[in-house]
Amino acid sequence: MIEKLLLSFLFCGAVCLIAQVILDNTKLTPGHITSIFVIIGALLDTFSIYDVIVEKVGGGAMVPITSFGHQLIHGGLQQAQGMGVFGLVMGMFDLTASGISAAIIFSFFLTLIFKPRN
Amino acid sequence: MVIKMINKKYDNIVEKHKPTETRSKNALVAFLIGGVVGLIGEGLIQLYCCLWHVSRTVSSVYMIITLIFLAALFTALGFFDKWVNFARCGLLIPITGFSHSMMSAALEYKKEGPIYGIGSNAFKLAGSVIVYGVVSAWTFGVIRLLIGGSLL
């Protein structure tokens, strides 16, 4: 329990640290970096490395944007077991659907309620 | 003349040392804030597990939704932008950054109407993450299937 909390702090902090170092030392914008990190997450899960990290670290590995890429390919590969390439397309959003739907719903209704600041 | 030269030298030295200091400070802040967000994520998973007796998988979905909601709400209330300016990647790399970018784009284009404003601009910033995520996930998935030998 406590060990997972500590590992979550260290892992999520380390990912953010790497991103910040890239942001400060190159001309890349946050948009570039989040896209790159999603690709890295998908790449790490191609050979099930990210699964091991999630198993060990827990929530700290699910919070960074790398886990978005991981969940995309993970859902795709789950469906692809029986369906092949078409399963890859069908199952792509299986695991991330909740996050994307929630983000759309919350931002829509909150936009209706609140006014833009500054 | 000499004082001017000394001043110039001094300015050069200041110039040399200033950026690295802010850089290391930025990195430290990003590490601490990002770490705290990760800590909150794992803490929420354990809390929901105990509170509602659900499995870890379900609990992690609740955790993601909670973080997305909080980031969207704080952006709408106006003070999340200041936090992001301070913490930079500490808040942009976790899922809060995804929610923040959607919420701020939707708010910014609200005045252009519900369809061409909110509807078409909500994914203005967050869209790149989804596009590159899907493209790379599909490409790597095909590679994995080719290697694994179960393409069809």
PDB file of all heavy atoms in Angstrom, chain B residues 104-117:
ATOM      1  N   SER B 104     -10.107  24.616 -21.670  1.00  0.00           N
ATOM      2  CA  SER B 104      -9.744  25.996 -21.990  1.00  0.00           C
ATOM      3  C   SER B 104     -10.059  26.312 -23.447  1.00  0.00           C
ATOM      4  O   SER B 104     -10.480  27.433 -23.759  1.00  0.00           O
ATOM      5  CB  SER B 104      -8.273  26.260 -21.678  1.00  0.00           C
ATOM      6  OG  SER B 104      -7.453  25.294 -22.253  1.00  0.00           O
ATOM      7  N   ALA B 105      -9.898  25.305 -24.361  1.00  0.00           N
ATOM      8  CA  ALA B 105     -10.254  25.548 -25.765  1.00  0.00           C
ATOM      9  C   ALA B 105     -11.759  25.762 -25.897  1.00  0.00           C
ATOM     10  O   ALA B 105     -12.209  26.675 -26.607  1.00  0.00           O
ATOM     11  CB  ALA B 105      -9.812  24.372 -26.632  1.00  0.00           C
ATOM     12  N   ALA B 106     -12.559  24.945 -25.189  1.00  0.00           N
ATOM     13  CA  ALA B 106     -14.012  25.086 -25.272  1.00  0.00           C
ATOM     14  C   ALA B 106     -14.459  26.437 -24.727  1.00  0.00           C
ATOM     15  O   ALA B 106     -15.317  27.109 -25.311  1.00  0.00           O
ATOM     16  CB  ALA B 106     -14.682  23.951 -24.495  1.00  0.00           C
ATOM     17  N   LEU B 107     -13.862  26.866 -23.610  1.00  0.00           N
ATOM     18  CA  LEU B 107     -14.234  28.159 -23.008  1.00  0.00           C
ATOM     19  C   LEU B 107     -13.859  29.314 -23.926  1.00  0.00           C
ATOM     20  O   LEU B 107     -14.615  30.267 -24.086  1.00  0.00           O
ATOM     21  CB  LEU B 107     -13.521  28.332 -21.664  1.00  0.00           C
ATOM     22  CG  LEU B 107     -14.232  27.843 -20.416  1.00  0.00           C
ATOM     23  CD1 LEU B 107     -13.358  28.093 -19.208  1.00  0.00           C
ATOM     24  CD2 LEU B 107     -15.567  28.521 -20.244  1.00  0.00           C
ATOM     25  N   GLU B 108     -12.658  29.195 -24.543  1.00  0.00           N
ATOM     26  CA  GLU B 108     -12.154  30.294 -25.351  1.00  0.00           C
ATOM     27  C   GLU B 108     -13.051  30.546 -26.561  1.00  0.00           C
ATOM     28  O   GLU B 108     -13.259  31.693 -26.956  1.00  0.00           O
ATOM     29  CB  GLU B 108     -10.735  29.953 -25.798  1.00  0.00           C
ATOM     30  CG  GLU B 108      -9.919  31.163 -26.197  1.00  0.00           C
ATOM     31  CD  GLU B 108      -8.534  30.766 -26.668  1.00  0.00           C
ATOM     32  OE1 GLU B 108      -8.002  29.770 -26.157  1.00  0.00           O
ATOM     33  OE2 GLU B 108      -8.011  31.456 -27.555  1.00  0.00           O
ATOM     34  N   TYR B 109     -13.594  29.467 -27.160  1.00  0.00           N
ATOM     35  CA  TYR B 109     -14.379  29.630 -28.379  1.00  0.00           C
ATOM     36  C   TYR B 109     -15.875  29.605 -28.109  1.00  0.00           C
ATOM     37  O   TYR B 109     -16.659  29.450 -29.032  1.00  0.00           O
ATOM     38  CB  TYR B 109     -13.993  28.546 -29.392  1.00  0.00           C
ATOM     39  CG  TYR B 109     -12.623  28.770 -29.965  1.00  0.00           C
ATOM     40  CD1 TYR B 109     -11.511  28.165 -29.410  1.00  0.00           C
ATOM     41  CD2 TYR B 109     -12.442  29.630 -31.043  1.00  0.00           C
ATOM     42  CE1 TYR B 109     -10.244  28.389 -29.917  1.00  0.00           C
ATOM     43  CE2 TYR B 109     -11.185  29.865 -31.558  1.00  0.00           C
ATOM     44  CZ  TYR B 109     -10.092  29.241 -30.993  1.00  0.00           C
ATOM     45  OH  TYR B 109      -8.852  29.482 -31.501  1.00  0.00           O
ATOM     46  N   LYS B 110     -16.247  29.769 -26.836  1.00  0.00           N
ATOM     47  CA  LYS B 110     -17.667  29.701 -26.483  1.00  0.00           C
ATOM     48  C   LYS B 110     -18.479  30.758 -27.222  1.00  0.00           C
ATOM     49  O   LYS B 110     -19.619  30.518 -27.633  1.00  0.00           O
ATOM     50  CB  LYS B 110     -17.817  29.881 -24.972  1.00  0.00           C
ATOM     51  CG  LYS B 110     -19.236  29.645 -24.470  1.00  0.00           C
ATOM     52  CD  LYS B 110     -19.356  30.050 -23.016  1.00  0.00           C
ATOM     53  CE  LYS B 110     -20.794  29.885 -22.555  1.00  0.00           C
ATOM     54  NZ  LYS B 110     -20.987  30.349 -21.185  1.00  0.00           N
ATOM     55  N   LYS B 111     -17.876  31.946 -27.418  1.00  0.00           N
ATOM     56  CA  LYS B 111     -18.628  33.063 -28.004  1.00  0.00           C
ATOM     57  C   LYS B 111     -18.986  32.821 -29.470  1.00  0.00           C
ATOM     58  O   LYS B 111     -19.857  33.496 -30.009  1.00  0.00           O
ATOM     59  CB  LYS B 111     -17.839  34.371 -27.852  1.00  0.00           C
ATOM     60  CG  LYS B 111     -16.472  34.350 -28.498  1.00  0.00           C
ATOM     61  CD  LYS B 111     -15.777  35.679 -28.326  1.00  0.00           C
ATOM     62  CE  LYS B 111     -14.458  35.737 -29.048  1.00  0.00           C
ATOM     63  NZ  LYS B 111     -13.467  34.779 -28.517  1.00  0.00           N
ATOM     64  N   GLU B 112     -18.324  31.840 -30.130  1.00  0.00           N
ATOM     65  CA  GLU B 112     -18.626  31.577 -31.540  1.00  0.00           C
ATOM     66  C   GLU B 112     -19.788  30.615 -31.718  1.00  0.00           C
ATOM     67  O   GLU B 112     -20.035  30.144 -32.837  1.00  0.00           O
ATOM     68  CB  GLU B 112     -17.375  31.043 -32.243  1.00  0.00           C
ATOM     69  CG  GLU B 112     -16.316  32.119 -32.399  1.00  0.00           C
ATOM     70  CD  GLU B 112     -15.051  31.614 -33.049  1.00  0.00           C
ATOM     71  OE1 GLU B 112     -15.111  30.607 -33.759  1.00  0.00           O
ATOM     72  OE2 GLU B 112     -14.008  32.236 -32.825  1.00  0.00           O
ATOM     73  N   GLY B 113     -20.492  30.315 -30.632  1.00  0.00           N
ATOM     74  CA  GLY B 113     -21.692  29.507 -30.745  1.00  0.00           C
ATOM     75  C   GLY B 113     -21.475  28.058 -30.373  1.00  0.00           C
ATOM     76  O   GLY B 113     -20.351  27.604 -30.250  1.00  0.00           O
ATOM     77  N   PRO B 114     -22.572  27.322 -30.155  1.00  0.00           N
ATOM     78  CA  PRO B 114     -22.457  25.943 -29.675  1.00  0.00           C
ATOM     79  C   PRO B 114     -21.876  24.969 -30.703  1.00  0.00           C
ATOM     80  O   PRO B 114     -21.197  24.019 -30.323  1.00  0.00           O
ATOM     81  CB  PRO B 114     -23.898  25.560 -29.326  1.00  0.00           C
ATOM     82  CG  PRO B 114     -24.741  26.495 -30.107  1.00  0.00           C
ATOM     83  CD  PRO B 114     -23.966  27.761 -30.261  1.00  0.00           C
ATOM     84  N   ILE B 115     -22.125  25.185 -31.997  1.00  0.00           N
ATOM     85  CA  ILE B 115     -21.650  24.219 -32.999  1.00  0.00           C
ATOM     86  C   ILE B 115     -20.234  24.551 -33.447  1.00  0.00           C
ATOM     87  O   ILE B 115     -19.304  23.764 -33.262  1.00  0.00           O
ATOM     88  CB  ILE B 115     -22.587  24.201 -34.232  1.00  0.00           C
ATOM     89  CG1 ILE B 115     -24.025  23.905 -33.807  1.00  0.00           C
ATOM     90  CG2 ILE B 115     -22.100  23.170 -35.252  1.00  0.00           C
ATOM     91  CD1 ILE B 115     -24.250  22.559 -33.199  1.00  0.00           C
ATOM     92  N   TYR B 116     -20.063  25.755 -34.044  1.00  0.00           N
ATOM     93  CA  TYR B 116     -18.749  26.113 -34.581  1.00  0.00           C
ATOM     94  C   TYR B 116     -17.813  26.618 -33.495  1.00  0.00           C
ATOM     95  O   TYR B 116     -16.611  26.745 -33.730  1.00  0.00           O
ATOM     96  CB  TYR B 116     -18.909  27.155 -35.690  1.00  0.00           C
ATOM     97  CG  TYR B 116     -19.586  26.573 -36.888  1.00  0.00           C
ATOM     98  CD1 TYR B 116     -20.916  26.846 -37.175  1.00  0.00           C
ATOM     99  CD2 TYR B 116     -18.894  25.689 -37.710  1.00  0.00           C
ATOM    100  CE1 TYR B 116     -21.542  26.271 -38.259  1.00  0.00           C
ATOM    101  CE2 TYR B 116     -19.513  25.110 -38.793  1.00  0.00           C
ATOM    102  CZ  TYR B 116     -20.839  25.397 -39.079  1.00  0.00           C
ATOM    103  OH  TYR B 116     -21.452  24.815 -40.140  1.00  0.00           O
ATOM    104  N   GLY B 117     -18.337  26.927 -32.322  1.00  0.00           N
ATOM    105  CA  GLY B 117     -17.487  27.352 -31.223  1.00  0.00           C
ATOM    106  C   GLY B 117     -17.064  26.180 -30.367  1.00  0.00           C
ATOM    107  O   GLY B 117     -15.960  25.662 -30.501  1.00  0.00           O
TER     108      GLY B 117
END
